[in-house]
């Protein structure tokens, strides 16, 4: 249980827009290379595994999607941010 609490306290958030199946597929291809857990949710509903196309499609991909990275590795967060830059909803930045 302690590990779960620590995991929940150490995450980075991004808001992304995907909009269609092609973007969902490309997004999953990009983020699947990261070793840490990545979750997604839309409209504050259930969380899903962001590395799964089927899971992401259970969300409303026409709406902004919140992405949560469970890592405190700053280099990995920067690389992730750069890799998904085209999907990041402009004007959003969370820490």
């Amino acid at each position: 249980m302690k590990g779960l609490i620590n995991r929940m306290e150490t995450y980075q958030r991004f808001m992304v827009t995907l909009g269609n199946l092609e973007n969902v597929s490309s997004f999953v291809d990009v983020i699947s290379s990261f070793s840490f857990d990545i979750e997604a949710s839309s409209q504050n509903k259930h969380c899903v595994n962001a590395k799964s196309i089927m899971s992401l499609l259970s969300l409303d991909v026409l709406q902004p999607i919140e992405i949560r990275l469970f890592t405190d590795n700053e280099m990995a967060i920067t690389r992730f941010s750069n890799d998904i830059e085209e999907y990041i909803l402009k004007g959003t930045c969370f820490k």
Side-chain angles (χ1 to χ4, degrees), residues 39-48 58-60 63-66 68:
E39 291 181 347
S41 65
S42 66
Q43 301 174 339
N44 294 325
K45 295 189 180 174
H46 65 281
C47 294
V48 300
S58 73
L59 303 175
D60 184 353
Q63 298 296 319
I65 294 175
E66 181 178 329
R68 284 178 298 284

Side-chain angles (χ1 to χ4, degrees), residues 15-31:
M15 292 299 290
V16 299
T17 54
L18 300 174
N20 61 50
L21 180 58
E22 183 179 335
N23 286 345
V24 171
S25 178
S26 296
F27 182 78
V28 169
D29 286 346
V30 169
I31 69 169

Side-chain angles (χ1 to χ4, degrees), residues 35-76:
S35 61
F36 47 82
D37 290 341
I38 305 171
E39 291 181 347
S41 65
S42 66
Q43 301 174 339
N44 294 325
K45 295 189 180 174
H46 65 281
C47 294
V48 300
N49 177 0
K51 296 179 182 180
S52 164
I53 290 175
M54 295 304 288
S55 293
L56 277 179
L57 290 175
S58 73
L59 303 175
D60 184 353
V61 297
L62 300 177
Q63 298 296 319
I65 294 175
E66 181 178 329
I67 302 296
R68 284 178 298 284
L69 315 181
F70 292 93
T71 183
D72 57 2
N73 181 324
E74 291 296 326
M75 288 180 61

